Amino acid sequence: MSDIEKRKLTSIAPLFGCSCKLPETELETLLEDINISYSPEILCPGDDAAVIKINDDLAIIKTTDFFTPIVDDPYIQGKIAACNATNDVYAMGATEIVGVLALLGIPRELPLENARMMLKGFQDFCNSIGTSIVGGHTIINPWPFIGGAVTAISSPDKIVYHSGAQPGDVLLLTKPLGIQPAMASTRLSSEYSSIIQSTLDSDIVANAVNLAIECMTTSNLNAAKAINEVGANALTDVTGFGLYGHGLNIARKSNVSLNIDLIPIISGTLELSALFEHGLEEGKSAETAGGLLMSVSEENLDEIIHSLNKYNVPAYEIGTVKEKGNEHVVIDNPEILEISSLSVKFES
Ligand SMILES: Nc1ncnc2c1ncn2[C@@H]1O[C@H](COP(=O)(O)OP(=O)(O)OP(=O)(O)O)[C@@H](O)[C@H]1O
Ligand SMILES: [Mg+2]
């Protein structure tokens, strides 16, 4: 057995899941320097996915995402990668994916069986949301990575942009936060292990990891279906830039301020975040395949919550949209809501 075969998937790269994204400020500098010119058919440069208007009835949505492993099980890693890559389509309010190209990077020494299981998890997840791998690209690379390039279609008028949040709107989030600290607890040195054991019950840590994996393998498709039925003013998904960073994208594009006064977290992750200094209570902790953050009018609020719950999607009311103030995103001493299950009580 080679050295790498004996190592865990997450031990081959030093960054995990969406936390390997280039920081947002550096990405902005990079893209500014290139000065890309977008033609008028590109409806929303800088949003979660590119939307290309073909005619009044048809837009094509294209997006790509890939990252390093966040779990050691290659099959689950494949599912998480497919969930994360396809979620940017749902973050535009679109629901109809027509195909996914699978992108794979594998270290020379990694047994092909590991790569095969990642791809199998990827394909099974795509099937579970009604689509399939239609091709891909595979390279030899020192760090393993997996992801997808996704194509979807939609009516242009169903697309929901970052830019539509209005003062008076309510902010809803569909998954709890805390993926980064929950998963960091699975990769601990013995020094950290003993600190955690003295701080948190081992069952709480195990449940946090299980719920984090459930979050990362639960598609935002159902949430997008609900939004498609009722409508939302602005929409994004919460990934590597955390709630703060993705909220900032909506606030800037909409020229408003977001006041966030409640942060739903995976139970136990506040203590883990404090230990690893991830900044969860400030919305700064990186999420992977996180939930949808939407801005909805007060008058649509009950209907959208009802519709989300009907599709078995939780809806946490985390704050409100204000006229633009000194800061685009205000998260000041928020209430912390500990979540230990994604299941929804639905009353029709
Ligand atoms: N190399 C690149 N060339 C051109 N545009 C890019 C490049 N990298 C990122 N972008 C654009 O920058 C914006 C932010 O990219 P990013 O992948 O972080 O999207 P996101 O939706 O905010 O995050 P996530 O994909 O994790 O959900 C997107 O509009 C994306 O198309
Ligand atoms: Mg996104």
Side-chain angles (χ1 to χ4, degrees), residues 100-104 133-138:
V100 182
L101 300 168
L103 311 174
L104 205 51
I133 294 177
V134 292
H137 190 64
T138 306

Side-chain angles (χ1 to χ4, degrees), residues 209-223:
V209 173
N210 288 339
L211 189 56
I213 292 174
E214 189 184 344
C215 285
M216 290 189 287
T217 52
T218 298
S219 176
N220 289 338
L221 169 60
N222 277 350

Side-chain angles (χ1 to χ4, degrees), residues 47-49 61 63-65 83-93 220 236-237 239:
D47 218 303
D48 290 278
I61 297 125
T63 180
T64 185
D65 261 295
C83 183
N84 187 68
T86 50
N87 273 350
D88 271 323
V89 165
Y90 307 134
M92 301 308 305
N220 289 338
T236 192
D237 62 334
T239 65

Side-chain angles (χ1 to χ4, degrees), residues 31-95:
L31 295 179
E32 263 167 32
D33 288 352
I34 303 294
N35 198 15
I36 303 170
S37 62
Y38 296 96
S39 62
E41 301 77 46
I42 312 302
L43 296 185
C44 53
D47 218 303
D48 290 278
V51 179
I52 305 155
K53 185 174 175 183
I54 305 297
N55 57 42
D56 286 347
D57 300 318
L58 180 67
I60 293 181
I61 297 125
K62 291 169 75 76
T63 180
T64 185
D65 261 295
F66 46 88
F67 52 57
T68 46
I70 188 166
V71 292
D72 289 316
D73 183 318
Y75 181 75
I76 296 174
Q77 176 59 36
K79 290 176 87 170
I80 292 170
C83 183
N84 187 68
T86 50
N87 273 350
D88 271 323
V89 165
Y90 307 134
M92 301 308 305
T95 54

